[in-house]
Amino acid sequence: KEIRKAIYKKIPIAIIGSTYRNWLKTPIDQKGRIVSVIKSLIRDIDYDKVYIVTCGVNYGVEEEVHNICKDANYYNKSSIQKRL
């Protein structure tokens, strides 16, 4: 019930990255562009209307999303996210 209430009428934004091996092969400049886009998205979205979903792994693109959200104080904004 608590999860349904937290995401009710919100739009999910799924951010799913590459495989672990492919992320390791990704050139640094491309990784930088990916991180820049993620930072812009996280800064500009309206968290009253949307929520971010990742696969739950903590490497590659998903790790970048988790770290950026932590730095921006959007990660674990509610106790529900901690349990997910």
Side-chain angles (χ1 to χ4, degrees), residues 44-56:
D44 294 339
I45 64 175
D46 182 347
Y47 287 92
D48 292 327
K49 296 180 182 178
V50 301
Y51 61 98
I52 295 174
V53 178
T54 66
C55 288

Side-chain angles (χ1 to χ4, degrees), residues 1-12 46-52 77-84:
K1 285 184 177 183
E2 200 173 341
I3 293 171
R4 275 189 247 148
K5 183 179 175 183
I7 63 173
Y8 182 70
K9 292 190 177 183
K10 291 185 181 181
I11 300 167
D46 182 347
Y47 287 92
D48 292 327
K49 296 180 182 178
V50 301
Y51 61 98
I52 295 174
K77 195 172 180 182
S78 72
S79 60
I80 294 169
Q81 291 171 319
K82 293 177 186 176
R83 290 194 302 269
L84 296 175

Side-chain angles (χ1 to χ4, degrees), residues 9-48:
K9 292 190 177 183
K10 291 185 181 181
I11 300 167
I13 296 177
I15 301 176
I16 299 167
S18 62
T19 64
Y20 180 74
R21 279 190 257 179
N22 282 334
W23 183 250
L24 293 176
K25 295 176 189 175
T26 303
I28 296 292
D29 64 320
Q30 288 183 11
K31 287 180 183 178
R33 287 193 297 253
I34 292 167
V35 169
S36 178
V37 168
I38 293 168
K39 284 181 179 179
S40 294
L41 172 70
I42 289 169
R43 181 192 66 226
D44 294 339
I45 64 175
D46 182 347
Y47 287 92
D48 292 327

